[in-house]
RNA sequence: GGUCCGUUCGUCUAGGGGUUAGGACAUCAGAUUUUCAUUCUGGUAACACGGGUUCGAUUCCCGUACGGACUACCA
């Protein structure tokens, strides 16, 4: 079997869409599994859509996700350059070859003329409304013009494009690794522009030429390319590269979670989840978008989630490390239908990956949040906090978000609880509890429990009922980690102070 | 409009001519717990429709419907 060489080929027109990460991932998994090569090629043949910073963004996103590039932009390699704009002369050469062999031709039609053609065909209710075998002889091109007219126009600097001469009525077959055989009649394919009037190639030409030159073995890309795949087959044939033609695998699209259609930034914004891997500010509009990274998604969790959007191993295992993904992945097991993007599952994956970390690892997250808040904390204390909270976090920032009370004494108390439960009994109990607390040596759980029992005994109030008010006094909220652990972490003095403050500031419910 | 692709619980999906149609997320209920969460147990919930083929079809074929992609000198 041929050496596996795959490429991820985004264009730098903005932030990389999360679907792009999945495409890159599938390419990467195949490359790694087969001991092949992962190539990054930048498809920047549209100068109008170039966005500054987009290429760097792509690079950083892949790096964050852990998708390593073996060859390509930022990395170099035997087929450099890997930026299509830097390969410009190459495409010109191949386009000329096509013309010389009669497989392509010059076209001089203006935009207005093209528009007029489409209008005309539309009015005739022609099923064939394209620049192709049925219409090309009515247009202004090197097929209808004499050779001298053509060279005269070119020498005069008139704008032209180069179009592929698509044969009429031929069945073009394509064996897609995911969809099986796809057959299209060549008459439904138009004479696609190969070289634009600015001298740049279109995607179609650049993509085929580069995949050939870079010895790509598998083209793994989104389903939006499926309709033009037969055209690409035709190009390989025109070049005489059929034997070297890569295998195709067209991936199902990522769809929006509710309703129908392709997942878009708008939908993600509306539902309040990211769609880009990293934070991104569009330089044209200054619009800011939050990334998965900054939202607290772990790259390995995101990759696991993404891998399962359209692929599954056929077993009931759901948690796969990248290593396991590499081992189990296969193009044959990729689904044919689009997958709705369900952020809840992504959150679940994140939680699973977070929970699998050691408390020491988790401590780093808390410490970094604290650093941002300018709060200092001994590592031992941070460790205790993370230990107490690890079962109830989904994101790294949750340690701080849900654990602020460890550092900041509550000033407001959850009224839905205090209004119902904060009665004179509570005050009596907590008051007594303080005295008993003062007598204990340490704040170890068993000692606190003893203090609690003593309080219960001297007040004749069951301690069970008092736990919720105690929690309110210490944290301000009605839920959170184990109370004994909280008291232990807070320490005796702080605990007493907080209870005292609660007693003086929470209004007592009468009867 | 044309071309192409698709359709199993709300979602991601397994399965495949005869199954109680399996799992996971979400959801609901119960258990555990000082609360929440975790964990455990259980529940609700799906083969788009119509024709064939067949003893039998969710599975194969054909239609229809619905959805999607493409239809640029964008990728």
């Amino acid at each position: 079997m041929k050496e596996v060489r795959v490429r991820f080929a985004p264009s730098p027109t903005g932030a990389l869409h999360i679907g792009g990460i999945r495409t890159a991932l599938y390419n990467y998994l195949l490359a790694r599994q087969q001991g092949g090569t992962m190539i990054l090629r930048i498809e920047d043949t549209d100068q109008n859509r170039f966005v500054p910073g987009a290429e760097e963004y792509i690079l950083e996103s892949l790096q964050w996700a852990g998708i390593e590039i073996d060859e390509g932009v930022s990395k170099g390699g035997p087929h450099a350059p890997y930026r299509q704009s830097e390969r410009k002369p190459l495409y010109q050469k191949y386009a000329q070859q096509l013309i010389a062999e009669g497989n392509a031709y010059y076209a001089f039609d203006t935009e207005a003329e093209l528009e007029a053609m489409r209008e005309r065909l539309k009015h005739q209710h022609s099923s064939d409304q394209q620049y192709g075998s049925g219409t090309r002889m009515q247009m202004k091109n090197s097929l209808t013009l004499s050779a001298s007219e053509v060279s005269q126009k070119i020498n005069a600097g008139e704008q032209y494009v180069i179009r592929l001469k698509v044969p009429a009525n031929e069945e073009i077959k394509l064996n897609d690794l995911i969809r099986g055989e796809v057959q299209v009649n060549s008459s439904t394919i138009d004479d696609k522009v190969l070289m634009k009037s600015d001298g740049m190639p279109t995607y179609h030409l650049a993509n085929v030429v580069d995949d050939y030159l870079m010895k790509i073995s598998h083209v793994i890309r989104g389903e939006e390319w499926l309709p033009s795949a037969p055209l690409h087959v035709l190009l390989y044939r025109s070049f005489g590269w059929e034997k070297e033609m890569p295998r195709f695998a067209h991936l199902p699209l990522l769809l929006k979670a509710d309703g129908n259609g392709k997942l878009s930034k708008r939908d993600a914004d509306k539902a309040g989840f990211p769609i880009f891997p990293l934070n991104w500010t569009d330089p044209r509009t200054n619009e800011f978008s939050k990334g998965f990274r900054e939202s607290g998604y772990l790259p390995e969790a995101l990759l696991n989630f993404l891998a399962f959007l359209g692929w599954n191993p056929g077993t009931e295992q759901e948690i796969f490390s990248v290593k396991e993904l590499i081992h189990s992945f296969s193009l044959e097991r990729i689904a044919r239908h689009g997958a709705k993007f369900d952020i809840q599952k992504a959150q679940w994956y994140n939680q699973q990956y977070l929970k699998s970390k050691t408390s020491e690892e988790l401590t780093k997250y808390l410490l970094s949040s604290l650093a941002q808040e300018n709060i200092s904390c001994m590592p031992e204390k941070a460790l205790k906090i993370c230990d107490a909270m690890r079962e109830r976090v989904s994101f790294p920032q949750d340690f701080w978000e849900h654990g602020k009370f460890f550092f900041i004494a509550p000033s407001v108390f959850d009224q839905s609880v205090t209004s119902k439960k904060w009665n004179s009994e509570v005050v009596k109990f907590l008051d007594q509890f303080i005295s008993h607390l003062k007598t204990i040596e340490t704040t170890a759980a068993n000692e606190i429990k003893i203090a609690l029992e003593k309080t219960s005994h001297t007040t004749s109030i069951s301690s069970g009922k008092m736990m919720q008010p105690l929690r309110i006094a210490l944290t301000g909220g009605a839920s959170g980690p184990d109370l004994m652990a909280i008291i232990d972490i807070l320490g005796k003095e702080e605990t007493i102070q907080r209870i005292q403050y609660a007693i003086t500031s929470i209004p007592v419910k009468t009867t």
Side-chain angles (χ1 to χ4, degrees):
Chain A
M1 201 184 143
K2 189 155 98 166
E3 191 202 335
V4 169
R5 289 175 59 82
V6 294
R7 85 295 197 280
F8 178 55
S11 52
T13 54
L16 188 60
H17 188 275
I18 194 67
I21 294 282
R22 190 192 58 162
T23 303
L25 174 65
Y26 285 174
N27 274 283
Y28 174 75
L29 293 177
L30 185 74
R32 283 291 168 275
Q33 182 185 70
Q34 301 293 325
T37 306
M38 171 76 175
I39 296 158
L40 176 68
R41 189 171 69 214
I42 297 291
E43 312 228 324
D44 56 347
T45 53
D46 187 350
Q47 297 166 325
N48 302 322
R49 291 212 309 161
F50 175 79
V51 172
E55 185 183 306
E56 291 73 14
Y57 183 93
I58 291 165
L59 254 16
E60 200 188 338
S61 297
L62 293 174
Q63 194 181 34
W64 171 71
I67 297 172
E68 308 150 289
I69 304 302
D70 303 313
E71 196 180 309
V73 166
S74 83
K75 193 84 183 175
H79 303 282
Y82 292 90
R83 211 174 272 119
Q84 288 184 329
S85 59
E86 293 169 15
R87 300 168 67 80
K88 194 172 168 183
L90 221 64
Y91 309 115
Q92 190 65 46
K93 179 184 134 201
Y94 284 101
Q96 288 304 326
Q97 180 190 328
L98 250 24
I99 289 184
E101 289 163 2
N103 289 318
Y105 58 91
Y106 294 105
F108 301 94
D109 316 273
T110 64
E111 212 170 301
E113 286 166 337
L114 290 172
E115 186 52 38
M117 174 201 75
R118 288 190 200 108
E119 273 304 305
R120 196 180 73 231
L121 293 169
K122 211 169 168 181
H123 279 274
Q124 289 167 4
H125 294 287
S126 170
S127 64
D128 176 31
Q129 300 180 9
Q130 58 193 12
Y131 200 125
S133 51
T135 48
R136 67 169 79 102
M137 296 316 283
Q138 280 104 259
M139 305 302 287
K140 234 198 289 174
N141 53 48
S142 59
L143 268 18
T144 57
L145 268 28
S146 71
S148 61
E149 277 177 301
V150 170
S151 51
Q152 191 191 339
K153 276 176 180 294
I154 292 174
N155 290 336
E158 200 169 309
Q159 296 242 306
Y160 66 89
V161 299
I162 296 175
R163 286 180 182 271
L164 182 68
K165 191 175 165 191
V166 176
N169 202 27
E170 263 181 50
E171 292 303 325
I172 312 290
K173 279 183 196 166
L174 155 80
N175 209 320
D176 188 274
L177 260 9
I178 295 171
R179 279 147 224 286
E181 190 167 278
V182 177
Q183 199 182 73
V184 181
N185 189 291
S186 63
S187 296
T188 66
I189 302 174
D190 61 348
D191 288 357
K192 278 271 176 325
V193 171
L194 264 20
M195 292 294 291
K196 301 185 266 192
S197 56
D198 64 359
M200 276 292 197
T202 58
Y203 171 84
H204 306 291
L205 209 225
N207 155 267
V208 166
V209 166
D210 284 347
D211 284 347
Y212 169 75
L213 292 176
M214 295 179 183
K215 302 189 182 337
I216 299 301
S217 62
H218 300 258
V219 170
I220 304 169
R221 76 234 292 190
E223 193 188 354
E224 67 267 30
W225 292 110
L226 191 54
S228 51
L231 170 84
H232 301 156
V233 171
L234 216 46
L235 266 169
Y236 281 101
R237 197 198 283 180
S238 304
F239 279 122
W241 298 338
E242 264 183 304
K243 277 210 182 91
E244 290 83 8
M245 186 168 81
R247 308 277 268 134
F248 291 102
H250 289 96
L251 268 23
L253 262 19
L254 257 31
L255 273 20
K256 63 175 85 174
D258 55 335
N260 304 307
K262 207 155 72 159
L263 178 66
S264 71
K265 182 171 146 36
R266 228 180 79 98
D267 310 306
D269 285 349
K270 218 169 73 183
F273 61 82
I275 191 170
F276 299 140
L278 275 33
N279 275 358
W280 170 254
T281 303
D282 191 311
R284 293 159 302 189
T285 60
N286 260 338
E287 190 189 0
F288 171 78
S289 311
K290 196 167 186 180
F292 276 93
R293 179 178 66 183
E294 290 81 1
S295 300
Y297 286 87
L298 270 19
E300 56 270 41
L302 185 64
L303 254 33
N304 196 158
F305 166 66
L306 250 21
F308 271 68
L309 241 34
W311 174 85
N312 83 86
T315 66
E316 289 185 353
Q317 185 182 344
E318 304 258 352
I319 304 287
F320 275 70
S321 65
V322 174
K323 213 171 170 182
E324 290 171 303
L325 285 174
I326 289 169
H327 179 258
S328 305
F329 183 73
S330 76
L331 290 172
E332 290 71 27
R333 290 201 65 89
I334 293 178
R336 284 177 288 276
H337 54 268
K340 292 188 179 179
F341 193 85
D342 179 12
I343 196 68
Q344 288 198 91
K345 193 121 186 195
Q347 280 165 6
W348 177 78
Y349 269 113
N350 213 57
Q351 191 186 23
Q352 296 302 308
Y353 275 81
L354 213 50
K355 270 170 55 183
S356 73
K357 291 188 180 290
T358 65
S359 296
E360 282 79 10
E361 287 174 298
L362 297 177
T363 301
K364 287 183 208 148
Y365 297 127
L366 176 61
L367 256 17
S368 98
S369 292
L370 289 173
Q372 276 180 38
E373 302 288 333
N374 266 319
I375 295 172
S376 61
C377 173
M378 297 299 284
E380 299 78 47
K381 185 180 175 187
L383 186 65
K384 278 185 174 179
I385 294 173
C386 291
D387 235 359
M389 293 189 64
R390 57 176 305 134
E391 294 299 334
R392 63 206 85 227
V393 291
S394 293
F395 298 100
Q397 65 270 27
D398 287 350
F399 288 106
W400 165 246
E401 297 291 339
H402 301 165
K404 276 182 188 159
F405 64 83
F406 282 115
F407 304 94
I408 303 166
S411 51
V412 290
F413 302 90
D414 188 334
Q415 278 208 0
S416 66
V417 180
T418 56
S419 63
K420 279 188 210 135
K421 296 194 173 164
W422 200 270
N423 52 32
S424 53
E425 249 193 350
V426 168
V427 174
K428 182 178 161 195
F429 185 93
L430 291 180
D431 209 44
Q432 280 292 305
F433 183 51
I434 290 174
S435 342
H436 289 292
L437 261 184
K438 283 178 176 165
T439 67
I440 61 173
E441 290 292 316
T442 72
T443 50
N446 60 327
E447 295 240 33
I448 300 162
K449 273 184 185 148
I450 291 170
L452 236 26
E453 276 165 31
K454 279 186 187 165
T455 313
S456 177
H457 193 76
T458 54
T459 56
S460 302
I461 299 166
S462 90
S463 60
K465 273 187 182 170
M466 294 298 116
M467 297 306 268
Q468 190 74 325
L470 179 56
R471 173 179 298 281
I472 287 283
L474 296 178
T475 72
S479 67
D482 180 71
L483 254 183
M484 302 309 130
I486 293 175
I487 293 173
D488 182 35
I489 292 165
L490 252 26
K492 207 161 92 174
E493 295 311 314
E494 178 69 15
T495 302
I496 291 170
Q497 258 183 45
R498 287 192 184 188
I499 296 173
Q500 275 169 341
Y501 177 74
I503 289 173
T504 55
S505 59
I506 301 175
V508 175
K509 185 190 155 213
T510 46
T511 59

